[in-house]
Amino acid sequence: MNAIIIEKPGGPDVLHLQEAPRPTPAAGQVLIRVHAAGVNRPDVLMRQGKYAGSGDVTGSVPGLEIAGTVEACGPDAPRWRPGDAVCALLAAGGYADYAVVDAHHCLPVPAGLSMTEAAALPETVFTVWHNVFQRGCLQPGETLLVHGGSSGIGTTAIQLARALGSRVAITAGDEAKCQACRELGAEWAINYKTDDFEQVLKEAGIDVILDMIGGDYVPKNLRLLRDDGRLVFINAMQGAKAELNALEVMSRRLTITGSTLRPRSAEFKAALAAAVEKHVWPLIAAGKFRPIIDRTFPLAEAAAAHQRMESSAHIGKIVLTVAK
């Protein structure tokens, strides 16, 4: 089969399309013929050799989410049959013609969605559902602030929060991105390059903040939160270290939390997949949420897809398509 191989840790030019052995599903796994694979920030970090827990990435195949058809099932792989259309979360290996996945980490491709759209769901929706709704406990009527609102994570968080009855504020890097977020339902859209989001939102009353920035955003985030507010980290692109006032956290009963998805157990991911199917898939069926696709690239052009990701020019998801 064809696969994108990381030649060595480095820039996008270390990604090469090569022949690789087709994997065989073990017990509890399914083999998926990949039609499309989502591109995510962790893929970039993995390629650079900076993703936590990735180890030596030389010779590895990146890719955390795919959509395709079940080709074969290993022993004790429940639910799925060859020919089923699925999307799936995996630890790596998605940038390829075929990938093996834990059967419990697969979900049916929602009716009405293309394979390209379905490939944009697993990593992003799992991340948002766990961090905004499970860890952040966002409730109807509360207000969510999303930093990086025009990203795949951001466009997903906006739509899901609005669909479930919450108000949304976002930050983004230019007016086009802010406008795209407004069209998805963001009530406040702040260009962080021209405005101080803390000043704009100081009277808004923020209950939950989804932060992928870190650094000097942290004290501003804490000041913006209502009493009993929740700050949830999923990345720290501007720095992992920050100063905070512990007395403020204590007196206002603030919660600071965060997570990474890849290192979690197979059992945790299976439970999260079940929760996503129960709570999010009906919203897709009702037309209340649909992944926003920025651009697609053929599998062989994975390097160009990573360049697009690193430019931060995208709005929504970047997806690789696999020729059949």
Side-chain angles (χ1 to χ4, degrees), residues 9 31 68 73 92 122 135 152 154 192 197 203 218 229 236 272 306-307 323:
L31 175 69
C73 300
R135 302 194 74 82
Y192 64 81
F197 70 86
E203 305 298 330
V218 174
L272 184 54
H306 275 223
Q307 289 171 346

Side-chain angles (χ1 to χ4, degrees), residues 20-307:
R22 192 171 95 169
T24 301
Q29 293 182 328
V30 293
L31 175 69
I32 297 175
R33 184 181 178 92
V34 180
H35 292 240
V39 177
N40 295 280
R41 288 277 177 192
D43 300 344
V44 172
L45 293 174
M46 181 180 177
R47 188 204 74 221
Q48 295 170 337
K50 298 177 181 179
Y51 194 42
S54 60
D56 182 8
V57 298
T58 301
S60 299
V61 179
L64 303 177
E65 59 183 353
I66 57 174
T69 53
V70 175
E71 184 80 5
C73 300
D76 302 317
R79 184 176 184 179
W80 309 112
R81 297 292 181 268
D84 286 345
V86 298
C87 55
L89 181 78
L90 57 165
Y95 292 12
D97 288 340
Y98 294 89
V100 291
V101 185
D102 187 315
H104 292 96
H105 302 169
C106 299
L107 292 173
V109 170
L113 262 59
S114 67
M115 286 290 187
T116 296
E117 291 172 312
L121 291 173
E123 170 73 10
T124 305
V125 174
F126 282 37
T127 297
V128 170
W129 187 258
H130 178 55
N131 288 283
V132 173
F133 297 97
Q134 292 183 334
R135 302 194 74 82
C137 301
L138 182 68
Q139 301 298 310
E142 291 189 328
T143 301
L144 169 70
L145 168 59
V146 182
H147 293 301
S150 61
S151 65
I153 293 287
T155 55
T156 297
I158 293 167
Q159 293 184 79
L160 292 184
R162 292 287 294 144
L164 294 172
S166 299
R167 304 169 77 187
V168 182
I170 67 94
T171 62
D174 61 45
E175 180 53 33
K177 292 180 178 180
C178 287
Q179 182 57 32
C181 293
R182 292 187 193 101
E183 292 171 0
L184 291 174
E187 191 169 334
W188 299 268
I190 300 126
N191 181 345
Y192 64 81
K193 293 181 180 177
T194 60
D195 295 297
D196 183 336
F197 70 86
E198 182 183 9
Q199 293 303 310
V200 175
L201 295 172
K202 62 183 179 181
E203 305 298 330
I206 305 297
D207 298 286
V208 178
I209 300 175
L210 184 64
D211 187 21
M212 57 189 79
I213 308 300
D216 61 8
Y217 275 36
V218 174
K220 292 184 176 184
N221 286 334
L222 294 176
R223 289 192 294 265
L224 279 176
L225 284 172
R226 297 182 197 263
D227 290 355
D228 299 297
R230 290 82 75 193
L231 172 59
V232 187
F233 290 104
I234 56 171
N235 201 345
M237 295 171 65
Q238 296 294 331
K241 295 183 179 180
E243 290 189 5
L244 60 86
N245 184 334
L247 291 177
E248 179 184 17
V249 174
M250 295 160 57
S251 65
R252 298 179 53 220
R253 303 172 304 281
L254 304 178
T255 297
I256 302 173
T257 185
S259 73
T260 56
L261 185 55
R262 187 175 187 267
R264 299 301 296 270
S265 70
E267 293 77 15
F268 171 84
K269 293 174 184 176
L272 184 54
V276 164
E277 185 170 11
K278 177 180 178 180
H279 296 287
V280 179
W281 259 227
L283 299 177
I284 298 174
K288 295 181 178 180
F289 165 61
R290 195 177 191 106
I292 305 302
I293 306 300
D294 172 78
R295 188 175 297 183
T296 64
F297 293 84
L299 180 65
E301 296 178 20
H306 275 223
Q307 289 171 346

